[in-house]
C-alpha cells in the first residue's frame, strides 16, 4: 500500500508541475519550432513516414518524437501546448521511473530522494516544459541502461536483453545513431575496467544488438517499401552524412570551449550538481546499489566527454548526464539523511556559491530589464541593441523572489549542517517555486526581446496565400506560425550549401525576389542586414520592430 501511495503521489505532483501553462509562451526557434513544424507538416501532408520541413525532405532527425507530437496535435490542436505535451508526459514517466529504479536498487527513501532531486534541479525540470527531443531520448537511453544492469543481476536475462535492445532502438529512432554510439562506448569502457564481461554473456548482448536494430530498421524498411528503394537509399546516405558532419564541424554557429558542458551541468543541474562533489573521492560501500553506480558513472563521463569533444556546443547536448548525475547525487543525499555520511565542507561551499550566483542573477534580471538603457552603449551588436529596445515591462517587485531565493539558499545550506532532511526539503521546495517563477514571469519577457516581434509578424499571415521568407538568417517560425500549406510552385524549391559544401533543400530566395512568383512575397531580415536588402530595387521596406525589418516584393 505504501508503494502504491508513493507512485500515486509522484504522478499527481509531477503532473501539477509539468502540465500547466505549457502554451504560455511561443515556441522557441530553432529546435522547438523545428520538431513542431515537422509534426504539423505530417498532419497537413498525410505523410507520416517521412519528416519534412517546408514540405521538403528533412533527414536530420528520425520521427519517433515527431509522431508523439502528431498524436498530441490531433488531440489538442496545432499549438504550443500540444507541441510540449509529450515531454510533460515524459516528465511524469521519468519521475515515476527513477523512483521505481531507486526503490528497487537501494530503498524506498532513495527513490524519493532521486525523484525530488531531479524535479528540483533547474534544467532537468525545465526541459519537461519544452518541445525538444532530448527528454524522451534521455529516458529511453536511461531505461536501456537499467535493463543492461538487471540483465546481469536479474533472473530473466532474455527478457531484459530484448527490452534493453528495443529501448535502445527506440532511442535511435528518436535522435539517431548517437544512442548506439553512447551505448557502445560505455560497454567498451566497462569491459576494459572489469577486464572482461564481468558476468554478462555474449548471447544476451548479441540479442540486445539485434533488437536494437528493429525499430529503426522497421521504419526505414516500411518507408522504402512505400516510397521506393531510391528514396530509402538516398535518405540513409544523407542522414548518416549529416550525423558525421554534426560531430566533426560546428553546426548552426554553436561552438564553444571544451569545458562548456562542465559549466552547463554545474549551474544547470543545481542543486544536484553540488552533491556530486560529495560523491567524488569517497568509498561507495556505505550505500549498496548492486553496481548500478558503475554504469551511471560510465554514462556520465561518456556523454560529458563525447559532447565536450564534439564541435557543436548546445546546452541540451549534455542533458543525458542528468540521469547519472542526479542518481549519484541522490545516493549521497540518502547516505547523508541516514547518518551514513557527513556533509563535506567542499560540498557545502559548492552548494552555497553556485546557489548564490544563480540567486543573484534571478534577483538582478528585472532590474537589468528596467535599466537596459545603461547597457545599450556597451553593446556592439546592432541586432542585440534593437532587441533590448523592445517594450517589455519589468517591475522592481520582481526582484523580491530572487532575494528571497538567495536568503533561503543561505538558510538551507546552514540548516543542512544540523538537520540535512529539513535543510534539503526547504531547498527543494524553494527550487520548484523558483523554477516556476522563471518559467512564468521571466521566460515570456525574455521571449519578448528575442523573437516575439518576428513571430507576431508571421502570425499576421496565417492562412493567407502568400510567401513569407526570412532573409540572411535561418528560421522555422515562418513555416509554423503562418500555417504554411504545400502550395509551392515548382520554382520555389532551391538548395542551400553549408560550410562543407553539402546541399540542403530549402526555399529558393532568389526566385521569391526576382522570379515570376504565383503569389505575393513578404520577407523579414535582421537589422544588421537591412541596408543590403533595402537597396534591392525589387524590395520595399514596410516596417520594423525590435531588430527585425519587414519587407515585401514590389509587384
Amino acid at each position: 500500500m505504501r508503494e502504491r501511495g508513493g507512485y500515486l503521489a509522484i504522478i499527481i505532483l509531477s503532473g501539477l508541475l509539468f502540465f500547466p501553462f505549457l502554451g504560455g509562451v511561443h515556441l522557441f526557434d530553432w529546435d522547438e519550432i523545428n520538431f513542431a513544424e515537422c509534426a504539423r507538416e505530417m498532419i497537413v501532408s498525410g505523410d507520416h513516414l517521412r519528416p519534412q520541413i517546408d514540405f521538403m525532405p528533412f533527414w536530420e532527425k528520425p520521427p519517433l518524437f515527431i509522431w508523439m507530437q502528431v498524436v498530441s496535435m490531433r488531440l489538442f490542436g496545432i499549438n504550443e501546448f500540444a507541441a510540449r505535451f509529450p515531454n510533460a508526459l515524459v516528465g511524469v514517466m521519468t519521475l515515476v521511473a527513477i523512483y521505481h529504479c531507486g526503490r528497487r536498487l537501494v530503498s524506498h527513501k532513495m527513490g524519493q530522494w532521486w525523484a525530488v532531486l531531479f524535479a528540483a534541479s533547474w534544467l532537468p525540470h525545465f526541459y519537461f516544459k519544452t518541445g525538444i527531443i532530448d527528454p524522451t531520448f534521455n529516458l529511453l537511453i536511461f531505461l536501456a541502461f537499467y535493463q543492461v544492469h538487471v540483465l546481469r543481476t536479474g533472473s530473466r536475462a532474455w527478457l531484459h536483453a530484448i527490452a534493453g535492445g528495443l529501448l535502445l532502438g527506440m532511442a535511435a529512432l528518436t535522435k539517431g545513431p548517437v544512442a548506439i554510439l553512447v551505448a557502445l562506448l560505455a560497454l567498451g569502457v566497462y569491459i576494459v575496467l572489469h577486464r572482461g564481461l564481468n558476468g554478462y554473456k555474449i548471447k544476451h548482448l548479441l540479442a540486445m544488438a539485434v533488437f536494437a536494430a528493429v525499430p529503426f530498421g522497421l521504419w526505414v524498411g516500411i518507408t522504402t517499401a512505400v516510397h521506393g528503394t531510391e528514396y530509402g537509399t538516398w535518405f540513409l546516405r544523407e542522414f548518416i552524412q549529416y550525423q558525421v558532419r554534426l560531430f566533426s564541424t560546428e553546426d548552426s554557429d554553436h561552438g564553444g570551449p571544451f569545458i562548456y558542458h562542465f559549466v552547463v551541468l554545474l549551474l544547470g543541474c543545481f542543486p544536484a550538481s553540488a552533491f556530486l562533489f560529495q560523491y567524488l573521492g569517497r568509498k561507495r560501500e556505505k550505500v549498496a546499489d548492486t553496481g548500478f553506480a558503475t554504469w551511471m558513472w560510465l554514462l556520465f563521463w561518456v556523454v560529458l566527454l563525447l559532447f565536450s569533444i564534439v564541435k557543436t556546443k548546445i546546452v541540451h547536448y549534455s542533458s543525458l548526464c542528468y540521469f547519472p548525475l542526479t542518481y549519484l547525487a541522490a545516493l549521497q543525499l540518502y547516505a547523508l539523511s541516514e547518518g551514513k555520511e557527513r556533509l563535506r565542507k567542499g560540498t557545502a561551499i559548492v552548494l552555497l556559491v553556485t546557489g548564490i550566483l544563480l540567486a543573484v542573477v534571478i534577483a538582478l534580471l528585472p532590474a537589468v530589464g528596467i535599466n537596459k538603457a545603461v547597457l545599450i552603449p556597451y553593446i556592439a551588436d546592432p541586432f542585440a541593441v534593437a532587441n533590448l529596445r523592445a517594450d517589455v515591462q519589468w517591475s522592481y517587485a520582481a526582484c523580491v523572489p530572487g532575494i528571497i531565493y538567495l536568503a533561503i539558499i543561505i538558510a538551507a545550506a546552514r540548516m543542512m549542517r544540523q538537520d540535512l532532511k529539513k535543510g534539503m526539503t526547504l531547498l527543494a521546495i524553494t527550487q520548484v517555486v523558483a523554477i516556476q517563477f522563471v518559467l512564468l514571469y521571466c521566460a515570456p519577457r525574455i521571449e519578448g526581446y528575442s523573437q516575439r516581434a518576428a513571430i507576431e509578424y508571421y502570425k499576421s499571415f496565417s492562412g493567407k496565400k502568400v510567401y513569407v521568407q526570412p532573409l540572411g538568417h535561418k528560421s522555422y517560425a515562418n513555416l509554423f506560425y503562418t500555417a504554411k500549406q504545400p502550395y509551392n510552385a515548382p520554382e520555389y524549391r532551391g538548395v542551400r550549401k553549408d560550410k562543407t559544401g553539402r546541399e540542403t533543400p530549402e526555399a529558393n530566395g532568389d526566385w521569391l525576389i526576382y522570379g515570376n512568383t504565383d503569389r505575393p512575397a513578404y520577407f523579414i531580415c535582421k537589422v544588421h542586414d537591412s541596408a543590403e536588402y533595402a537597396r534591392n530595387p525589387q524590395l520595399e521596406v514596410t516596417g520594423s520592430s525590435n531588430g527585425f525589418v519587414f519587407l515585401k516584393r514590389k509587384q
Side-chain angles (χ1 to χ4, degrees):
M1 192 67 182
R2 177 188 180 188
E3 295 175 0
R4 291 181 181 178
Y7 288 112
L8 184 61
I10 289 175
I11 291 171
I12 293 173
L13 292 175
S14 57
L16 291 174
L17 288 177
F18 301 141
F19 288 114
F21 310 110
L22 286 176
V25 66
H26 295 123
L27 298 174
F28 279 89
D29 237 353
W30 296 347
D31 285 350
E32 274 201 303
I33 302 182
N34 183 180
F35 306 131
E37 176 59 16
C38 282
R40 187 190 73 86
E41 292 188 19
M42 279 189 178
I43 294 172
V44 172
S45 68
D47 186 349
H48 293 81
L49 289 173
R50 298 181 296 182
Q52 303 174 79
I53 284 291
D54 203 358
F55 301 96
M56 289 182 266
F58 179 73
W59 54 71
E60 295 183 12
K61 294 292 183 290
L64 183 57
F65 180 75
I66 297 167
W67 288 338
M68 293 165 62
Q69 289 186 308
V70 167
V71 173
S72 180
M73 287 180 181
R74 290 194 181 277
L75 289 173
F76 304 112
I78 298 174
N79 53 50
E80 292 87 355
F81 180 90
R84 293 169 177 149
F85 179 85
N87 274 342
L89 184 60
V90 166
V92 176
M93 295 168 62
T94 296
L95 294 193
V96 170
I98 60 179
Y99 168 72
H100 174 78
C101 294
R103 186 179 64 81
R104 294 289 298 273
L105 291 166
V106 182
S107 72
H108 165 75
K109 290 183 179 179
M110 164 59 193
Q112 286 182 324
W113 278 121
W114 193 4
V116 166
L117 203 54
F118 205 103
S121 295
W122 283 97
L123 288 179
H125 184 123
F126 173 76
Y127 279 128
F128 293 138
K129 309 277 280 189
T130 70
I132 65 174
I133 279 176
D134 297 80
T136 301
F137 172 79
N138 296 340
L139 177 60
L140 291 169
I141 289 285
F142 166 74
L143 292 176
F145 269 74
Y146 180 75
Q147 292 299 319
V148 170
H149 171 68
V150 295
L151 173 63
R152 186 173 68 88
T153 60
S155 58
R156 295 178 288 182
W158 284 108
L159 178 62
H160 296 309
I162 293 170
L166 289 174
L167 287 164
L168 196 59
M170 291 170 65
L173 191 58
T174 303
K175 198 172 182 179
V178 65
I180 308 300
L181 178 61
V182 167
L184 289 176
L185 287 174
L187 178 61
V189 176
Y190 182 91
I191 291 172
V192 170
L193 288 177
H194 292 87
R195 299 180 182 179
L197 293 175
N198 191 36
Y200 289 103
K201 296 181 180 180
I202 293 179
K203 60 182 180 181
H204 295 146
L205 297 178
L206 288 175
M208 279 194 67
V210 170
F211 280 93
V214 169
F216 198 92
L218 276 175
W219 170 57
V220 172
I222 294 172
T223 303
T224 301
V226 173
H227 296 288
T229 304
E230 183 178 350
Y231 173 82
T233 304
W234 170 83
F235 175 84
L236 278 177
R237 182 181 68 249
E238 295 296 334
F239 177 77
I240 292 170
Q241 288 176 344
Y242 169 78
Q243 302 300 322
V244 172
R245 194 161 69 252
L246 188 63
F247 276 78
S248 59
T249 61
E250 287 186 15
D251 184 69
S252 310
D253 297 322
H254 289 296
F258 181 83
I259 64 168
Y260 175 89
H261 288 295
F262 290 81
V263 177
V264 165
L265 293 175
L266 175 63
L267 297 176
C269 289
F270 176 85
S273 55
F275 290 96
L276 192 63
F277 287 85
Q278 180 79 16
Y279 195 88
L280 295 172
R282 288 294 185 94
K283 294 182 179 180
R284 319 297 177 215
E285 67 273 7
K286 291 185 179 180
V287 179
D289 71 342
T290 64
F292 189 61
T294 299
W295 279 114
M296 291 294 93
W297 264 123
L298 290 177
L299 180 59
F300 178 81
W301 284 111
V302 162
V303 172
L304 182 55
L305 293 178
L306 176 64
F307 287 103
S308 295
I309 294 170
V310 168
K311 297 294 184 181
T312 303
K313 299 290 193 297
I314 300 177
V315 172
H316 54 258
Y317 275 18
S318 58
S319 61
L320 183 51
C321 289
Y322 301 166
F323 280 92
L325 188 156
T326 54
Y327 175 75
L328 297 169
L331 275 180
Q332 291 308 300
L333 265 180
Y334 173 66
L336 288 165
S337 67
E338 296 296 304
K340 298 177 181 179
E341 291 270 6
R342 295 189 62 185
L343 187 66
R344 297 170 68 179
K345 186 176 181 180
T347 303
I349 291 174
V350 172
L351 184 74
L352 198 57
V353 171
T354 308
I356 290 174
L357 177 62
L358 290 168
V360 169
V361 170
I362 294 170
L364 290 180
L365 186 59
V368 171
I370 294 170
N371 298 282
K372 60 188 178 182
V374 178
L375 297 177
I376 288 176
Y378 301 96
I379 300 174
D381 184 351
F383 179 64
V385 170
N387 285 165
L388 285 175
R389 296 190 190 280
D391 184 19
V392 176
Q393 299 300 313
W394 296 88
S395 167
Y396 280 114
C399 297
V400 175
I403 296 170
I404 295 173
Y405 180 48
L406 173 63
I408 293 179
I409 285 174
I410 296 172
R414 294 186 63 182
M415 189 181 297
M416 286 181 196
R417 305 292 293 182
Q418 284 78 39
D419 190 328
L420 183 123
K421 290 181 182 179
K422 288 184 179 180
M424 190 60 209
T425 300
L426 175 62
L427 179 58
I429 293 172
T430 304
Q431 278 290 120
V432 169
V433 174
I435 292 170
Q436 305 314 308
F437 168 75
V438 170
L439 286 171
L440 298 177
Y441 183 82
C442 299
R445 286 164 174 77
I446 293 171
E447 195 246 353
Y449 292 121
S450 63
Q451 65 170 27
R452 187 177 300 155
I455 288 180
E456 293 297 337
Y457 178 70
Y458 295 137
K459 288 170 71 175
S460 70
F461 295 102
S462 180
K464 298 180 181 179
K465 290 187 176 182
V466 298
Y467 293 114
V468 185
Q469 182 67 22
L471 297 174
H473 68 282
K474 182 179 177 181
S475 175
Y476 299 108
N478 61 305
L479 306 174
F480 187 84
Y481 282 105
T482 63
K484 190 174 187 299
Q485 300 299 305
Y487 48 65
N488 303 329
E491 297 88 351
Y492 176 82
R493 294 173 179 267
V495 295
R496 172 179 58 88
K497 286 189 177 181
D498 63 17
K499 296 176 182 178
T500 65
R502 297 293 306 173
E503 293 185 346
T504 303
E506 69 169 20
N508 186 345
D510 287 342
W511 179 76
L512 289 174
I513 296 175
Y514 301 105
N516 185 21
T517 57
D518 57 335
R519 60 195 71 242
Y522 294 84
F523 304 91
I524 180 173
C525 69
K526 294 182 179 180
V527 66
H528 51 257
D529 295 324
S530 61
E532 173 190 350
Y533 295 112
R535 287 194 299 266
N536 191 315
Q538 293 289 105
L539 300 177
E540 175 186 350
V541 175
T542 61
S544 64
S545 180
N546 305 338
F548 295 96
V549 177
F550 314 129
L551 309 99
K552 71 175 181 178
R553 176 177 168 170
K554 295 178 181 178
Q555 296 302 313

